[in-house]
Each structure stands twice: as structure tokens, then as C-alpha cells.
Amino acid sequence: MRKPKQLLSKQRGMALFQVLLMVAIISVLLIIMSKQTQSTVHQAQLLQDRVERELALSSAAAYVDSLLLSNDWLMSRNDPQSPLYQINFYGEPHLIPLPQRAAYGALGPEVTLQLQNEASLLDLNFRTNDIEPLLLQLGKSPLQARQMVDELRNFLRAPEQIYFQNVADLAHLESWTVEDVAMLRNLTSVSAPIFNPVWMPNELLPVLLTPEQAATIRALRKSNESSAGLLQDFYGDVDAADTGTFPGIAQRMRLTDESSGLELYREVDYRPRHPSPMRLYAKYFQQE
């Protein structure tokens, strides 16, 4: 009689163990599912926040567009009452205060604007003589720079006479790498056959000017003094009547929300008197 009782007791013990094991497994699964759910919710919240910031930054870009289309750039640049006061077209950061509107709620109180005049960049198709000193300035050896420029010229002199349609096309050349293209992207163009030195970025100053001339222009720019006429005199390789001092319609715009590091990049034609005052060529967001 004792053996059946012992057997029954053992069976009950095994059943209890199995129940506890199942409870433990279910608990672990619930914990995993809970963490996955929390992670999913967190990722969804991050995505929602990113979308809200992108929409807000697009709205801020539309506000900046309205300022650029409704104001004389050079007059506003020297007007302390203008929101475009001290604006530049050589890529240096400029703070634009935002109106207090719900559309900009996901951003900080101001955004950082960088405008680069497209015609003040080195055109890969027409200014190959300047590409070699630029490569040297960026750290390439004389041998590397010469090899890269020779291949660039050979490509342009081919019987088909194919021009570069995008700066990124350089990466198709054997001696050029993606990293090389990234170095030159903000300093070169494929749509600026008539060079305007007035608004060249600071990185091009030591490439196209003497060290003393470059230092003079930097000092004038730092104090927001006009350097247009002096730059034309220093450079002296273009006809002032062809280029003038006024920025061209084609501009590269970067708008950054410093509070989040979100940046909006666009390539835009501003044509205030045209029936279609804006023409957009490129647009993308990136997170710093």
C-alpha cells in the first residue's frame, strides 16, 4: 500500500515542477515580448519625432525662401533691421530667428542657414587647371594630384565630348575614390561655366589667391565688410562685367536645426520676377 502512495506523491511533485517550469517559461516570454514592445514603441516615437522635425524644418525652409524672394540680398545684408542682416553666399553659417508658430514647434528658436553661390564653385568641366592646386590644398601628393587631373582631362577630351553631369561621376574614374569626391563635393560644380570669385568659399581662397590676399579676404569677411571689389581685383581672371558682385540665382542651401542636428540640403534657383520663382533640383535630410 505504501508504494502506490509514494508513486502518487512523486507524480504530484513532477506535475508541480512542470507547472512551475511552464510558468517560468511563460514569464520569460512575457518579459521578452514586453521589452520588444517597449523597443518598438520607442522606435516608433523616434520615427515620429524625426518626421515632425523634418516637416518643421521644411516649413522653416519655406520661411527662409520667402525672405530670400522678397528682399534685396545685398541691401538686406547691410540692414541691421533685416532678418537677412549679415547673410553671406560663401557657405558660412548664419542664424535665422524663427517666428513663434506651431509649424516650427519641433525646432529650436532659430535655424542655421548656409548659402553657397553655385557660380563661385570650380566647374569640373571648364576649370580643370584649378583642380590640381585644390587637390594639393586638400592633402594629395603632387603625383596623385597630377594623375587625377590628367585622367579628368582625358575624360573630357574624349571624342564623345561627354561632360560631367554630377560631381559624383568623378568616382567612375580609375584614380578617383568616393572619399575624393566627398572632399570636393562642396567646392566644385558641374553647372558654373562662368566663375564668379566674389562668393567663393573660404576653402578656395588659398587655392586661387596668394596667402596674403586670402588672409585679407578672410579678415574682411569676418568683420562683414564688403570684399567683392577687392576679390575681383585680386583674382583678375574674369571679366567683372560678366560676373558682377551680385550672387547668382543658383544657390546651395543647408538649413540646420542645432538642437537636434537635423540638416536639410537643397539646390535651388531663386527667380523673384519669374512666374515660377523657385526651381528645386535636389533635396535631402541628414542627421549629424
Side-chain angles (χ1 to χ4, degrees):
M1 296 293 294
R2 292 180 181 177
K3 289 183 178 180
K5 288 184 178 180
Q6 290 177 352
L7 183 60
L8 182 61
S9 177
K10 288 182 180 180
Q11 290 176 343
R12 288 176 177 173
M14 287 296 296
L16 177 60
F17 174 76
Q18 290 176 349
V19 170
L20 293 175
L21 181 60
M22 291 179 63
V23 170
I25 293 173
I26 292 172
S27 298
V28 171
L29 290 175
L30 287 173
I31 291 172
I32 294 174
M33 291 174 62
S34 175
K35 288 185 176 180
Q36 289 178 339
T37 302
Q38 291 176 358
S39 176
T40 302
V41 170
H42 179 64
Q43 291 177 356
Q45 185 62 51
L46 290 177
L47 179 60
Q48 179 180 338
D49 293 343
R50 170 69 181 258
V51 171
E52 288 180 355
R53 285 194 296 270
E54 288 184 358
L55 290 173
L57 200 55
S58 293
S59 297
Y63 169 67
V64 174
D65 290 339
S66 69
L67 294 177
L68 292 170
L69 289 169
S70 60
N71 289 275
D72 182 285
W73 295 351
L74 298 188
M75 289 182 62
S76 298
R77 187 173 185 270
N78 297 303
D79 181 4
Q81 305 303 317
S82 171
L84 299 180
Y85 178 54
Q86 293 189 342
I87 194 173
N88 67 81
F89 299 89
Y90 44 81
E92 288 300 297
H94 175 76
L95 294 179
I96 298 287
L98 294 174
Q100 293 184 354
R101 298 175 187 168
Y104 316 130
L107 308 176
E110 56 192 11
V111 289
T112 301
L113 171 66
Q114 293 170 272
L115 286 172
Q116 175 57 60
N117 189 49
E118 188 77 29
S120 298
L121 301 174
L122 297 181
D123 194 298
L124 295 173
N125 295 311
F126 299 98
R127 305 198 64 84
T128 56
N129 289 340
D130 295 323
I131 300 301
E132 186 172 347
L134 174 59
L135 290 171
L136 293 173
Q137 180 70 26
L138 294 174
K140 292 293 182 180
S141 70
L143 181 61
Q144 282 180 308
R146 173 57 58 87
Q147 181 182 1
M148 294 167 73
V149 172
D150 283 347
E151 188 178 8
L152 171 62
R153 287 173 177 154
N154 290 337
F155 177 87
L156 294 171
R157 291 170 182 167
E160 299 83 1
Q161 293 185 330
I162 300 174
Y163 288 125
F164 288 100
Q165 302 300 309
N166 193 298
V167 176
D169 293 342
L170 282 172
H172 297 304
L173 302 181
E174 186 177 349
S175 58
W176 291 75
T177 66
V178 174
E179 290 74 19
D180 296 331
V181 174
M183 279 197 310
L184 267 68
R185 188 181 298 277
N186 295 331
L187 304 173
T188 56
S189 173
V190 293
S191 55
I194 300 178
F195 182 64
N196 183 348
V198 170
W199 305 103
M200 73 172 84
N202 286 332
E203 293 85 350
L204 289 183
L205 294 177
V207 176
L208 303 177
L209 305 177
T210 67
E212 294 77 14
Q213 291 171 339
T216 300
I217 298 302
R218 282 200 191 95
L220 289 172
R221 286 179 170 182
K222 191 173 182 180
S223 60
N224 198 41
E225 296 292 333
S226 175
S227 59
L230 194 57
L231 247 173
Q232 286 180 327
D233 291 339
F234 282 167
Y235 188 66
D237 191 33
V238 294
D239 187 344
D242 290 337
T243 60
T245 61
F246 199 84
I249 63 172
Q251 298 291 325
R252 295 185 184 183
M253 171 199 275
R254 293 184 187 274
L255 204 62
T256 306
D257 173 38
E258 300 294 347
S259 63
S260 65
L262 183 65
E263 178 184 282
L264 170 61
Y265 173 83
R266 301 190 306 167
E267 295 177 8
V268 191
D269 280 357
Y270 289 103
R271 307 175 295 178
R273 296 175 181 82
H274 195 276
S276 300
M278 276 186 56
R279 185 164 51 187
L280 186 65
Y281 293 96
K283 173 182 177 181
Y284 62 82
F285 292 94
Q286 62 183 20
Q287 186 75 45
E288 294 181 353

